Amino acid sequence: MSDILLKKESQVLKILINRPHKKNALSMPMYQHMAMAIEQAKEDNEIRAILIASTADDFTAGNDLADFADFSEHEQIGDTVRFMNALMHCPLPVVAKVQGLAVGIGTTMLLHCDLVYCADNSRFSLPFINLGLVPEYASSFLLPKLAGHAKAAQWLMLGESFNAEDAKAFGMVNQVFNLDQLNIEVEKVLAKLVAKPRQAMALTKALMKSNLEEVNLHMNEELDFFIEQLRTPAAKEAFAAFLQKRQPDPDIYN
């Protein structure tokens, strides 16, 4: 069964992350599949909105670290960037439905969705610093604007996880529901979106994202540092320790 499921229902493209045995960790082929789906959706006149969700208990545990541990040999980060750009430049309204873990890009992608709804069991995490990495997907630009410098520093510099209510309080999610109610409420939102005039919707989103060029430039700057950091001894040791389920060697990690 595919790790990414695509469904067209009632003028909505539903992109469902479907890798439960890995807590929905994202592999490079999964990024490619999602990017292609978003790119094609904007050319499909029958699609009026996009939903990104999961089929399992967790939204996503973030990147599959086995993929990134082999980065220097495989250089496949282009698939991730393709997905980032497809979502960031998507003219259609994008809704995210989150439950359980939302780690790394599972949190940063939400900054590029238009409406985000989550279950009360959601846990968000931006652990880049703990892996010897820097933030990605323009999160170091967008989060301070959204939540303020102090809260962004807590999330990005300490790598501390946070819950659904914290995410709502600082503007990352629109509403929090219990798990049983989440699906019902998100379907209501999608029905409202597809009933709106398509061109007016696209123009409204474009006007709201008038700083997109600035965001894109920042994302690319982050990416340059991110790739540099992937090659450092600290990052390699952090990845190895994670995969081997041990503590990093402080002489290498620091």
Side-chain angles (χ1 to χ4, degrees), residues 185-198:
E185 298 299 331
V186 169
E187 289 300 323
K188 288 179 182 177
V189 169
L190 291 169
K192 290 177 183 179
L193 286 172
V194 301
K196 307 298 182 186
R198 183 185 179 100

Side-chain angles (χ1 to χ4, degrees), residues 26-33 63 67-68 76-80:
L26 298 170
S27 65
M28 298 303 170
M30 292 167 72
Y31 280 118
Q32 184 181 58
H33 199 169
N63 289 312
D67 271 8
F68 273 78
Q76 292 175 310
I77 203 167
D79 292 324
T80 309

Side-chain angles (χ1 to χ4, degrees), residues 107 122-126 143 154-155 160-164 166-167 172:
T107 293
S122 299
R123 293 293 302 178
F124 303 87
S125 179
L126 298 158
L143 276 176
Q154 181 180 332
W155 293 343
E160 292 185 353
S161 65
F162 52 102
N163 62 23
D166 225 11
M172 184 175 289

